Amino acid sequence: MSYDVTKSEEQWREELGDEKFAVLRQAGTERAWTGDLLDEGRAGIYTCGACNAELFKSGTKFDSHCGWPSFYESVRPEAVELIEDDSLGMKRTEVRCANCGSHLGHVFDDGFGTPTGDRYCMNSISLNFSPEEPGEAPEASE
Protein backbone atom coordinates (compact mmCIF):
# COMPACT_ATOMS: atom_id res chain seq x y z
CA MET A 1 0.00 0.00 0.00
CA SER A 2 1.23 3.51 -0.68
CA TYR A 3 0.85 6.09 2.08
CA ASP A 4 0.28 9.85 2.00
CA VAL A 5 3.19 10.35 4.42
CA THR A 6 6.40 8.66 3.34
CA LYS A 7 9.85 9.09 4.87
CA SER A 8 13.05 7.11 4.94
CA GLU A 9 13.62 4.89 7.95
CA GLU A 10 16.47 7.23 8.93
CA GLN A 11 14.07 10.21 8.92
CA TRP A 12 11.53 8.30 11.00
CA ARG A 13 14.19 7.22 13.51
CA GLU A 14 15.46 10.78 13.89
CA GLU A 15 11.95 12.23 14.33
CA LEU A 16 10.56 9.53 16.62
CA GLY A 17 13.52 8.55 18.79
CA ASP A 18 14.50 4.96 19.54
CA GLU A 19 11.57 3.90 21.74
CA LYS A 20 8.78 5.21 19.49
CA PHE A 21 10.63 4.04 16.37
CA ALA A 22 10.83 0.47 17.72
CA VAL A 23 7.03 0.31 18.13
CA LEU A 24 5.72 2.52 15.32
CA ARG A 25 8.13 1.51 12.55
CA GLN A 26 9.37 -1.93 13.66
CA ALA A 27 6.05 -3.28 15.01
CA GLY A 28 7.29 -3.60 18.58
CA THR A 29 5.05 -3.66 21.64
CA GLU A 30 5.31 -1.60 24.80
CA ARG A 31 5.02 -3.45 28.11
CA ALA A 32 1.46 -3.87 29.40
CA TRP A 33 0.23 -1.43 32.05
CA THR A 34 3.04 1.07 31.35
CA GLY A 35 1.56 3.40 28.72
CA ASP A 36 0.78 7.04 29.46
CA LEU A 37 -2.63 6.86 27.75
CA LEU A 38 -3.93 3.70 29.40
CA ASP A 39 -5.92 5.59 32.05
CA GLU A 40 -6.63 8.73 29.97
CA GLY A 41 -10.31 9.53 30.53
CA ARG A 42 -10.76 13.03 29.13
CA ALA A 43 -12.81 13.75 26.03
CA GLY A 44 -10.69 14.25 22.93
CA ILE A 45 -9.11 12.63 19.90
CA TYR A 46 -6.32 10.08 19.60
CA THR A 47 -3.96 10.56 16.67
CA CYS A 48 -1.04 8.68 15.15
CA GLY A 49 2.17 9.11 17.13
CA ALA A 50 4.14 9.39 13.88
CA CYS A 51 2.03 11.57 11.53
CA ASN A 52 -0.79 12.90 13.78
CA ALA A 53 -3.61 11.52 11.58
CA GLU A 54 -6.89 11.18 13.51
CA LEU A 55 -7.48 7.56 14.55
CA PHE A 56 -9.87 7.19 17.52
CA LYS A 57 -12.42 9.29 19.41
CA SER A 58 -12.37 9.18 23.20
CA GLY A 59 -16.00 8.03 23.27
CA THR A 60 -14.96 4.70 21.72
CA LYS A 61 -12.30 3.97 24.37
CA PHE A 62 -13.12 1.34 26.97
CA ASP A 63 -11.37 -0.48 29.79
CA SER A 64 -10.69 -3.98 28.47
CA HIS A 65 -8.35 -4.86 31.37
CA CYS A 66 -5.65 -5.94 28.89
CA GLY A 67 -2.98 -3.37 29.84
CA TRP A 68 -3.17 -1.25 26.70
CA PRO A 69 -5.62 1.46 25.59
CA SER A 70 -8.58 -0.20 23.86
CA PHE A 71 -11.15 1.20 21.45
CA TYR A 72 -14.14 -0.45 19.80
CA GLU A 73 -13.84 1.38 16.46
CA SER A 74 -11.63 3.80 14.58
CA VAL A 75 -12.71 7.32 13.74
CA ARG A 76 -13.39 6.10 10.15
CA PRO A 77 -12.85 2.64 8.67
CA GLU A 78 -10.33 4.07 6.20
CA ALA A 79 -8.28 5.71 9.00
CA VAL A 80 -6.59 2.40 9.78
CA GLU A 81 -5.15 -0.41 7.69
CA LEU A 82 -5.77 -3.99 8.85
CA ILE A 83 -3.14 -6.61 7.96
CA GLU A 84 -3.09 -10.34 8.71
CA ASP A 85 -0.28 -11.06 11.17
CA ASP A 86 0.90 -14.65 11.62
CA SER A 87 3.98 -13.78 13.68
CA LEU A 88 4.64 -15.23 17.12
CA GLY A 89 2.84 -18.45 16.19
CA MET A 90 -0.67 -16.97 16.34
CA LYS A 91 -3.13 -15.45 13.91
CA ARG A 92 -3.84 -11.80 14.66
CA THR A 93 -4.84 -8.67 12.77
CA GLU A 94 -2.29 -5.87 12.89
CA VAL A 95 -3.55 -2.28 12.88
CA ARG A 96 -1.53 0.37 11.05
CA CYS A 97 -2.10 4.05 10.43
CA ALA A 98 -3.50 4.30 6.89
CA ASN A 99 -1.82 7.69 6.46
CA CYS A 100 1.80 6.66 7.17
CA GLY A 101 1.84 2.88 7.68
CA SER A 102 3.01 3.02 11.29
CA HIS A 103 2.22 0.09 13.60
CA LEU A 104 -0.40 0.89 16.22
CA GLY A 105 -1.29 -2.49 17.71
CA HIS A 106 -3.77 -5.28 16.94
CA VAL A 107 -7.54 -5.68 16.70
CA PHE A 108 -9.38 -8.62 18.23
CA ASP A 109 -13.02 -9.70 18.04
CA ASP A 110 -13.32 -10.08 21.82
CA GLY A 111 -14.65 -6.63 22.68
CA PHE A 112 -17.77 -8.15 24.16
CA GLY A 113 -20.24 -5.60 25.44
CA THR A 114 -19.12 -2.95 22.95
CA PRO A 115 -21.27 -1.80 20.01
CA THR A 116 -18.93 -3.48 17.47
CA GLY A 117 -17.58 -6.45 19.43
CA ASP A 118 -14.07 -5.33 18.46
CA ARG A 119 -11.12 -4.44 20.69
CA TYR A 120 -8.50 -2.26 19.03
CA CYS A 121 -5.63 -2.91 21.44
CA MET A 122 -3.24 -0.01 20.83
CA ASN A 123 0.20 0.85 22.14
CA SER A 124 0.07 4.16 24.07
CA ILE A 125 3.40 5.11 22.55
CA SER A 126 1.84 4.81 19.08
CA LEU A 127 -0.73 7.48 19.88
CA ASN A 128 -0.95 11.16 20.70
CA PHE A 129 -3.92 12.57 22.60
CA SER A 130 -5.50 15.99 22.12
CA PRO A 131 -8.10 16.86 24.77
CA GLU A 132 -11.26 18.68 23.82
CA GLU A 133 -11.19 22.37 24.65
CA PRO A 134 -13.62 23.38 27.44
CA GLY A 135 -16.98 24.27 25.91
CA GLU A 136 -16.16 22.46 22.68
CA ALA A 137 -18.99 20.24 21.50
CA PRO A 138 -18.05 16.64 20.70
CA GLU A 139 -18.15 15.74 17.03
CA ALA A 140 -21.19 13.81 15.89
CA SER A 141 -20.62 10.17 15.01
CA GLU A 142 -20.59 9.36 11.34
Side-chain angles (χ1 to χ4, degrees), residues 1 6 20 32 40 44 51 57 60-61 67 76 93 95 112 120 129 131 135:
M1 177 170 180
T6 57
K20 286 182 92 168
E40 179 58 64
C51 73
K57 292 180 182 177
T60 65
K61 188 174 189 257
R76 297 176 310 289
T93 302
V95 180
F112 305 112
Y120 285 82
F129 177 73

Side-chain angles (χ1 to χ4, degrees), residues 22-141:
V23 175
L24 285 157
R25 303 307 300 174
Q26 297 179 316
T29 302
E30 68 189 356
R31 286 188 354 262
W33 309 105
T34 63
D36 291 339
L37 298 176
L38 179 62
D39 296 320
E40 179 58 64
R42 295 174 292 171
I45 192 84
Y46 292 83
T47 61
C48 176
C51 73
N52 222 31
E54 291 188 353
L55 298 171
F56 301 97
K57 292 180 182 177
S58 59
T60 65
K61 188 174 189 257
F62 69 102
D63 188 358
S64 67
H65 306 286
C66 71
W68 293 275
S70 297
F71 305 85
Y72 61 79
E73 69 183 350
S74 61
V75 69
R76 297 176 310 289
E78 64 274 9
V80 295
E81 177 184 18
L82 304 179
I83 299 170
E84 188 175 314
D85 177 3
D86 293 327
S87 67
L88 302 178
M90 60 183 116
K91 186 173 184 175
R92 303 181 294 172
T93 302
E94 179 185 6
V95 180
R96 291 187 189 174
C97 173
N99 194 52
C100 71
S102 289
H103 173 77
L104 304 170
H106 290 84
V107 64
F108 303 94
D109 62 0
D110 62 2
F112 305 112
T114 67
T116 63
D118 290 330
R119 174 174 55 97
Y120 285 82
C121 185
M122 304 291 97
N123 290 288
S124 281
I125 200 167
S126 295
L127 303 172
N128 295 321
F129 177 73
S130 297
E132 248 179 43
E133 293 297 322
E136 191 176 58
E139 293 181 29
S141 295

